Amino acid sequence: MPISDFTFKRDNLLPLADSLRESFLKASPFRHVVIDDFLPPEALEPVLAEFPEPRDVEWQRFDNAREIKLALADTEKMGPATRHLLSEFNGQVFVDFLERLTGIEHLVSDPHYDGGGLHQIRPGGYLKVHVDFNRHRRLNLDRRLNGLLYLNKDWEESYGGHLQLWNKDMTRCEHKVLPVFNRFVVFATTDDANHGHPEPLTCPEDRARRSMALYYYTNGRPEDETLDEHDTQFKQRPGEEWKSSFRQVARRWVPPALADLVGPRK
């Protein structure tokens, strides 16, 4: 199926939303739902075929004790299939689905993909447990929902990369979600939505944990969710310490060309 032929249909999505809404609202440790086989597999093949390697375009690189990952939000650096699918996720039909599923009205999608777009984590990479930034400064809106579409075919349990969902007081992980192909996760973005991929990735060197990230906003939020504006806040797991590697420290103090000699980037 050419990606340009794929569009979301209310006749498909709204019944799905109705069937999953109670599960979403009652989920623990915070509101979420995991949906397998979310899209027609053939609609994702063009996206996989054009997914850029780290060397292909200028990815935003994060490399510190809390996160080692790559992110790409600039749609000019993405292929046409990817841009089309992102547009569908930001369109009215999909927003209708999210409102029906979550009960959150007046959702606004983000044309800038601030913090979203394409994500890629290579072997050895990770994203420690955190809560997300809660305001979109450019749009001046409140962040309410995350949508994550995983793009990893033949992904084995031993590769790791699980999305971990932790309880409010960070005493235990309640759910682990393997990032397998065509699995879609939606969760409410609140200040107790502790989540991450905290264990270093152990997939083969020629693989990566790839995903598409979508965020949705409203103008205001319920009073019981209203807190001061903040950026991403990382949370330590029981007994966990964050230690920068020598290479990560060197990158803060020496020119990039010299820092690259310290060791290979994972």
Side-chain angles (χ1 to χ4, degrees), residues 172-203:
R172 68 182 184 277
C173 173
E174 292 198 9
H175 291 290
K176 291 184 178 182
V177 181
L178 196 66
V180 298
F181 179 71
N182 208 5
R183 174 171 282 173
F184 188 66
V185 181
V186 181
F187 63 89
T189 312
T190 57
D191 277 13
D192 59 359
N194 300 312
H195 65 283
H197 151 35
E199 297 295 335
L201 198 62
T202 56
C203 65

Side-chain angles (χ1 to χ4, degrees), residues 62 67-69 120-128 161 197-202 209 266:
F62 299 85
E67 53 187 337
I68 301 178
K69 68 174 188 178
Q120 182 168 196
I121 296 180
R122 307 295 292 182
Y126 50 81
L127 176 61
K128 297 298 184 180
H197 151 35
E199 297 295 335
L201 198 62
T202 56
R209 180 187 189 270
K266 292 291 188 182

Side-chain angles (χ1 to χ4, degrees), residues 107-121:
L107 285 172
V108 178
S109 56
D110 177 19
H112 309 291
Y113 305 106
D114 187 14
L118 301 181
H119 291 170
Q120 182 168 196
I121 296 180

Side-chain angles (χ1 to χ4, degrees), residues 190-245:
T190 57
D191 277 13
D192 59 359
N194 300 312
H195 65 283
H197 151 35
E199 297 295 335
L201 198 62
T202 56
C203 65
E205 287 295 324
D206 62 345
R207 299 293 303 271
R209 180 187 189 270
R210 293 173 168 175
S211 59
M212 184 176 285
L214 301 310
Y215 307 142
Y216 302 87
Y217 300 80
T218 58
N219 183 13
R221 67 191 312 146
E223 289 187 5
D224 61 346
E225 293 184 12
T226 303
L227 294 171
D228 293 336
E229 180 179 338
H230 62 74
D231 292 326
T232 302
Q233 295 181 337
F234 286 90
K235 308 284 190 73
Q236 286 181 314
R237 296 174 293 167
E240 183 177 47
E241 294 184 15
W242 296 327
K243 295 182 179 180
S244 297
S245 67

Side-chain angles (χ1 to χ4, degrees), residues 49-117:
E50 67 186 24
F51 199 98
E53 295 290 337
R55 63 182 178 276
D56 292 340
V57 299
E58 186 177 350
W59 290 76
Q60 185 178 8
R61 294 177 179 267
F62 299 85
D63 189 354
N64 55 66
R66 294 169 176 80
E67 53 187 337
I68 301 178
K69 68 174 188 178
L70 303 172
L72 183 63
D74 185 351
T75 56
E76 283 193 1
K77 298 175 182 176
M78 302 175 190
T82 304
R83 296 172 74 165
H84 175 83
L85 187 55
L86 285 170
S87 178
E88 281 295 302
F89 275 116
N90 269 4
Q92 58 179 260
V93 175
F94 194 74
V95 170
D96 286 350
F97 162 73
L98 290 175
E99 291 182 342
R100 185 85 152 250
L101 170 68
T102 66
I104 301 174
E105 299 180 339
H106 312 303
L107 285 172
V108 178
S109 56
D110 177 19
H112 309 291
Y113 305 106
D114 187 14

